Amino acid sequence: MTMKATAFGRVAGIVMTVALLATPAIANGYREKGKKVAVANSPMSVTPSRDWNLLSIRPGKKAETWTLDGERLNEVTWYGGIAPGEAIIRETSRKRKPLPKVTRATLLVELPELLEATYRTERNIGTFQTTGSSPHRFLGQEGIRFTYDYVDSDELPRRGEARAVLVGGLLYMATFDAPRQYYFDRSIADFRALTDSATL
């Protein structure tokens, strides 16, 4: 065996080891096309029209994130039954970075502000703009759809779309976030098809 082949073998071994070590941190579940599945530890369920990956790290007790191509590329986050007094995601520090909470008085028109305040606080976002908002049915109820643009801490411009509804005082919402260039336009139809299948 030549030195070049030996060196290549070592590099390949290192790459494989790093990949295997990294896998548990980003291990995904599998959401199979055509199979109904409950989401976000809630009564909400969806039937995907294509295969999705479930990220292993949940943003909150009542939230979970799916992706097609990988974390930060095209993320769908489900929020299931967020009650008054609860934040939509887990607080990393209630003292230093308190998150806004859903209240009994929260209205549909206030949900874009709730999401914006959550993103600004938890992701340290300086630039966030709601670009559109309109009444929209979600989960068979009168809800809201809104769109937004922001620049995340990685300085990459992102675009998002959300569908949300309040049922019995509980918030159910799905958000889609992706880089503005390429990934958003490529996957927004998949998000809409996915959320169209959502039921309570």
Side-chain angles (χ1 to χ4, degrees):
M1 184 179 286
T2 66
M3 284 185 65
K4 188 180 282 187
T6 304
F8 176 78
R10 284 191 190 128
V11 170
I14 290 169
V15 169
M16 288 296 292
T17 301
V18 169
L20 289 172
L21 289 173
T23 300
I26 57 171
N28 295 331
Y30 183 60
R31 295 295 180 249
E32 190 175 347
K33 173 184 175 180
K35 289 197 174 179
K36 189 174 184 177
V37 61
V39 293
N41 291 324
S42 76
M44 181 167 51
S45 61
V46 296
T47 306
S49 58
R50 63 173 296 179
D51 296 338
W52 288 78
N53 294 303
L54 168 67
L55 296 184
S56 61
I57 299 175
R58 289 176 172 266
K61 186 178 179 182
K62 297 179 180 179
E64 66 182 50
T65 302
W66 296 16
T67 184
L68 291 170
D69 299 304
E71 188 177 4
R72 314 287 290 161
L73 294 179
N74 37 33
E75 294 182 350
V76 174
T77 302
W78 303 96
Y79 305 90
I82 309 297
E86 295 179 337
I88 63 173
I89 60 173
R90 184 182 302 107
E91 286 183 302
T92 53
S93 174
R94 291 183 182 179
K95 208 170 195 179
R96 290 186 297 106
K97 295 168 68 175
L99 294 174
K101 311 290 193 299
V102 174
T103 71
R104 294 189 186 281
T106 297
L107 302 173
L108 287 172
V109 294
E110 297 173 318
L111 296 180
E113 292 177 13
L114 176 71
L115 186 68
E116 175 182 350
T118 300
Y119 276 27
R120 283 185 183 274
T121 301
E122 189 59 32
R123 300 187 181 188
N124 298 315
I125 292 172
T127 303
F128 187 109
Q129 179 182 11
T130 300
T131 55
S133 178
S134 62
H136 189 80
R137 288 188 70 79
F138 181 50
L139 299 174
Q141 310 279 334
E142 291 303 321
I144 187 173
R145 173 159 49 195
F146 58 95
T147 54
Y148 48 93
D149 288 340
Y150 65 96
V151 178
D152 215 335
S153 55
D154 58 10
E155 300 299 321
L156 184 63
R158 297 181 186 277
R159 181 156 289 157
E161 181 170 300
R163 296 175 74 176
V165 69
L166 293 163
V167 181
L170 303 180
L171 170 62
Y172 293 88
M173 182 165 63
T175 60
F176 173 68
D177 293 84
R180 274 182 232 173
Q181 288 191 330
Y182 183 65
Y183 282 101
F184 184 87
D185 289 338
R186 177 187 176 198
S187 303
I188 186 60
D190 293 307
F191 167 72
R192 291 172 181 165
L194 187 62
T195 52
D196 282 346
S197 77
T199 59
L200 269 181

